[in-house]
C-alpha cells in the first residue's frame, strides 16, 4: 500500500494542477490582488478555526512570530503580488517555464543554504530532468511569444518575466524558513496563520493601489468568478496549502517541490479533456520526462520515507 506521504503528494499535484481554472475564471472578472487576498483570508480564517476547535487556538510563541511573519511575506504577499502582475505581461508558456522550473530550484537552493537538507546527486538529477521536460513542454510557446515581441511590449514582457521568476524565488525561500515552525506547531495552524496574515496584506495593497478594487467589493463578480474563488479557497488553499505544509515538514522542501513537475502535466491533460486542446509529440515527450523526474525525486530512499511517515503525527 502506498505510504501516506506519497498519497498526500499525489493529492497535492492533482489539486494544484487544476487550480489554474479557478484562477483564470477569477482574474478575468476581479482585480487579481483582491481575488488572491480575499481567497487567502477566507482559507486562513477557516484553518485557524479548525486549529482552535476543542481546546482553543494554539498560541505561537513570541520568539517564533518574526519567522511566521517572514514566511507570510515571502510565500503569500511577495510571491502572489509578483506572480499575478507578471502573468499579465507574459504568456502562459513563459510563465509556466519560469515558475515551475525555478520553484524547485529555489527550494533546493535555500534548503541547502539554510542547512535544512544535504546535497544529493539523485535529487539534483531529478531537478535537471524536470527542467528539461518543462522546456520541451512549454518552451516552443514561450519562444514564439518572445520572438514576436518588439519595443515597449518586449520591455514589459521582460519585467513580467522577472516578476514571475522572483515569485518562484520568494516562495522557495519562504517554504524553507517555514519548516522549523512546522516541527513545533500543527501544519494547519501555520498554514492558516500565514494565509490569513498574507491575505490581509494583499487585501490592503489591493484597496490602496489596484484599480477597480474598491468597486469590486460589491461582489458583482459573476457566477464563474465566484465558483473559481470558492474552489481556490476550499481546495487550492484550505486543502492544498495545508498538505504542502505537511509535506514540507515530513519529506523536505526539495521533494515536496517536485509537485512542480506533475501539476503542469495534470493541467495540460485537463485542457485536452475539458477544452479539446491539441496534444503534440513534444508535449507527450515533455510530460513523460517531467513524470520521470518527479518519480526519481519522490521514490528515492523509500525506506527513509516510510520510516518518517510512521513516526510522523
Amino acid at each position: 500500500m502506498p505510504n501516506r506521504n506519497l498519497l498526500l503528494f499525489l493529492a497535492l499535484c492533482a489539486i494544484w494542477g487544476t487550480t489554474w481554472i479557478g484562477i483564470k475564471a477569477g482574474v478575468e472578472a476581479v482585480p487579481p490582488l483582491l481575488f488572491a487576498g480575499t481567497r487567502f483570508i477566507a482559507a486562513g480564517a477557516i484553518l485557524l478555526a479548525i486549529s482552535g476547535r476543542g481546546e482553543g487556538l494554539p498560541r505561537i510563541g513570541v520568539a517564533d512570530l518574526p519567522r511566521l511573519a517572514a514566511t507570510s511575506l515571502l510565500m503569500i504577499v511577495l510571491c502572489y503580488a509578483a506572480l499575478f502582475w507578471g502573468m499579465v505581461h507574459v504568456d502562459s508558456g513563459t510563465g509556466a517555464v519560469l515558475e515551475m522550473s525555478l520553484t524547485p530550484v529555489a527550494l533546493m537552493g535555500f534548503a541547502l543554504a539554510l542547512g535544512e537538507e544535504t546535497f544529493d546527486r539523485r535529487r539534483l538529477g531529478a531537478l535537471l530532468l524536470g527542467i528539461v521536460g518543462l522546456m520541451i513542454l512549454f518552451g516552443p510557446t514561450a519562444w514564439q511569444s518572445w520572438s514576436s515581441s518588439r519595443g515597449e511590449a518586449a520591455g514589459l514582457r521582460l519585467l513580467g518575466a522577472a516578476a514571475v521568476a522572483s515569485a518562484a524565488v520568494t516562495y522557495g525561500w519562504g517554504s524553507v524558513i517555514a519548516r522549523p515552525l512546522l516541527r513545533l506547531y500543527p501544519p494547519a495552524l501555520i498554514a492558516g496563520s500565514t494565509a490569513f496574515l498574507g491575505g490581509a496584506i494583499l487585501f490592503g495593497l489591493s484597496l490602496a493601489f489596484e484599480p477597480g478594487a474598491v468597486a469590486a467589493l460589491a461582489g458583482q463578480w459573476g457566477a464563474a468568478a465566484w465558483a473559481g474563488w470558492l474552489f481556490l479557497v476550499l481546495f487550492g488553499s484550505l486543502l492544498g496549502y495545508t498538505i504542502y505544509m505537511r509535506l514540507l515538514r515530513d519529506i523536505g522542501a526539495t521533494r515536496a517541490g517536485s509537485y512542480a513537475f506533475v501539476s503542469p502535466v495534470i493541467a495540460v491533460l485537463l485542457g485536452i479533456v475539458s477544452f479539446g486542446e491539441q496534444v503534440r509529440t513534444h508535449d507527450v515527450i515533455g510530460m513523460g520526462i517531467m513524470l520521470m523526474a518527479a518519480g526519481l525525486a519522490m521514490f528515492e530512499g523509500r525506506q527513509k520515507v516510510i520510516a518518517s511517515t510512521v513516526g510522523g503525527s
Side-chain angles (χ1 to χ4, degrees), residues 112 210 251:
L112 293 175
E210 198 167 32
I251 65 176

Side-chain angles (χ1 to χ4, degrees), residues 35 224-236:
F35 190 71
W226 274 114
W229 184 89
L230 186 62
F231 178 82
L232 290 171
V233 168
L234 296 179
F235 293 95

